[in-house]
Amino acid sequence: MEKRIVVLAGDGIGPEITSAAVEVLKKTAVKFGHKFDFDYRYMGGCAIDKFGVPLPEETVAACKASDGVLLGAVGGPKWDSQPAENRPEKGLLGIRSALGLYANLRPAVIYPELSDASPLKPSVLEKGVDVMVVRELIGGIYFGRRGLEDDGKTAYDTEIYSESEVRRIAKVAFDLAMTRRKKVTSVDKANVLLSSRLWRRVVEEVAKDYPEVALNHLYVDNAAMQLVKDPSQFDVLLCPNMFGDILSDEASQITGSIGLLPSSSLGTCRAGLFEPIHGSAPDIAGQDIANPIATVLAAAMMLDNMNLHEEARAIEKAVGKTIADGWRTPDMGEGKRVGCKEMGRIIAKNIG
Ligand code: NAD
């Protein structure tokens, strides 16, 4: 199969971690007989330096025409003095909106060998953690009507959802659950909010099309508590925008490892956006010590979105073997020390 992948390396450690992930993708293509074409484009601080804007039109066009976009990270102190409308982060917001990315997926997985990094007790972790947070990304209170009244003495933001917005994100969650452990937990505050009652009703309607998937509902306050009490009870956690923002950060902290967690954003374009959850880490840029695993796992999520599931599982297995064999970048603690480049090479070798 032939696929066109846009690589937005970005700033800071971005070029190092995306280069490691591309090495793993190249090996995957060889093993499974595919052809991946890599199209390198500019976004973020590097685009400001070259084109004067964080998101050039030609980058948007290339992303829209691609099968998937792999992003490193953007930003850094070099561009901190840029005016707000021309900062690297504007590129990120711009590409999300240009690709209509309404679903943000963030897996939180614990590797048993790295469970020391988790703030949770071993007795809580022993049942395993493998949660996929599905967050609605372009609706809800962050996009509802807002305002200031009484000369600035009163402010309001509006939580607003339409049936169609809930239906499309719920479908993403149920489709994912079908490829996982077939359980969806929908998060809302239906005891208080009307918008949550609509959310719950539409999620139940969508659930009828997925009779194999078990659905339960949790109020967000209870969900936050249950995540640290017994994360093993969750498979897919379906959340409105703000609740998902908070719970996905909580879920990622359970794993204790910022350098290991990927994220994907899917939407109305064929191409989704796949990236690590961490930033551009300017403090360690250019030293070949960044952990590329989150970006490698983001590449696996990209292959899933291209329906290359066997290939995606092969990458995840190769990462698991690399960790089990004791290879560690400095952020991962004690072990057989490797840099970013070498870590990429070892994972690629473990693809087989
Ligand atoms: P950060 O995630 O870049 O770094 C936080 C800490 O984690 C740093 O000590 C860093 O060295 C470490 N770290 C991060 N990724 C690592 C990796 N792969 N391997 C090893 N260590 C890693 O967050 P920050 O310092 O708050 O932000 C730095 C810049 O990144 C800022 O300009 C910020 O705006 C930007 N940022 C970009 C994105 C994005 O592109 N999606 C997300 C968050 C922050």
Side-chain angles (χ1 to χ4, degrees):
M1 208 174 274
E2 204 168 324
K3 297 285 177 193
R4 199 147 80 80
I5 297 167
V6 168
V7 180
L8 303 174
D11 311 315
I13 59 171
E16 300 164 59
I17 54 179
T18 47
S19 148
V22 165
E23 171 149 8
V24 174
L25 282 168
K26 282 183 175 163
K27 183 68 187 291
T28 310
V30 170
K31 171 155 168 96
F32 290 88
H34 302 307
K35 184 169 183 297
F36 295 157
D37 287 324
F38 297 96
D39 181 7
Y40 290 83
R41 300 283 170 166
Y42 290 84
M43 186 182 87
C46 60
I48 295 174
D49 290 349
K50 192 168 166 68
F51 297 95
V53 290
L55 183 62
E57 272 308 312
E58 59 161 60
T59 297
V60 175
C63 291
K64 281 186 174 170
S66 76
D67 295 296
V69 181
L70 184 68
L71 167 67
V74 298
K78 182 176 175 194
W79 302 280
D80 278 352
S81 55
Q82 286 282 326
E85 67 283 0
N86 206 39
R87 288 177 62 99
E89 298 77 17
K90 275 277 172 194
L92 199 50
L93 297 177
I95 195 71
R96 280 181 184 155
S97 122
L99 298 180
L101 303 174
Y102 61 81
N104 183 236
L105 278 51
R106 265 215 212 172
V109 177
I110 287 227
Y111 293 91
E113 299 85 357
L114 300 177
S115 58
D116 280 357
S118 171
L120 298 189
K121 283 190 280 195
S123 59
V124 176
L125 297 175
E126 66 191 9
K127 286 192 271 175
V129 177
D130 184 0
V131 185
M132 177 70 85
V133 180
V134 175
R135 167 188 169 195
E136 200 288 324
L137 202 56
I138 54 175
I141 195 164
Y142 295 166
F143 291 84
R145 202 155 49 86
R146 67 190 62 194
L148 280 175
E149 290 175 350
D150 306 334
D151 293 333
K153 293 197 176 106
T154 305
Y156 64 91
D157 301 275
T158 315
E159 171 81 354
I160 180 163
Y161 271 113
S162 66
E163 284 190 5
S164 59
E165 285 172 327
V166 181
R167 188 163 289 116
R168 68 183 183 182
I169 189 73
K171 279 187 180 159
V172 171
F174 281 92
D175 282 339
L176 262 171
M178 286 298 291
T179 68
R180 295 171 49 96
R181 303 196 304 282
K182 299 191 170 65
K183 184 174 177 194
V184 170
T185 301
S186 175
V187 175
D188 61 38
K189 191 71 184 170
N191 50 342
V192 180
L193 303 175
L194 266 181
S195 54
S196 278
R197 279 177 225 161
L198 179 130
W199 176 278
R200 194 176 276 218
R201 172 172 62 74
V202 177
V203 170
E204 280 174 358
E205 282 167 21
V206 172
K208 288 183 189 143
D209 294 332
Y210 299 83
E212 287 175 56
V213 178
L215 167 69
N216 71 324
H217 303 275
L218 282 186
Y219 297 138
V220 62
D221 39 354
N222 190 16
M225 196 169 69
Q226 297 295 333
L227 252 181
V228 286
K229 192 172 164 215
D230 178 15
S232 74
Q233 67 184 288
F234 296 114
D235 178 15
V236 175
L237 204 56
L238 166 63
C239 309
N241 200 344
M242 183 166 68
F243 298 160
D245 190 4
I246 298 164
L247 293 182
S248 60
D249 267 23
E250 187 187 351
S252 65
Q253 278 312 298
I254 290 172
T255 74
S257 43
I258 194 168
L260 293 180
L261 297 179
S263 140
S264 73
S265 302
L266 311 177
T268 47
C269 267
R270 179 183 44 186
L273 184 70
F274 304 86
E275 59 183 313
I277 68 162
H278 59 72
S280 61
D283 53 332
I284 59 167
Q287 299 174 36
D288 192 31
I289 56 171
N291 186 348
I293 290 181
T295 318
V296 170
L297 292 173
M301 294 184 90
M302 179 172 70
L303 297 189
D304 263 328
N305 194 48
M306 295 171 180
N307 281 322
L308 300 176
H309 301 298
E310 203 187 329
E311 293 80 346
R313 298 296 81 72
I315 292 180
E316 287 168 1
K317 261 178 77 181
V319 167
K321 176 166 169 30
T322 305
I323 292 172
D325 288 347
W327 299 106
R328 304 280 184 270
T329 45
D331 59 297
M332 295 168 76
E334 294 298 306
K336 294 190 267 182
R337 183 63 70 233
V338 281
C340 182
K341 216 184 244 175
E342 190 59 18
M343 184 62 114
R345 258 185 227 138
I346 294 168
I347 297 169
K349 202 165 124 240
N350 283 338
I351 299 281

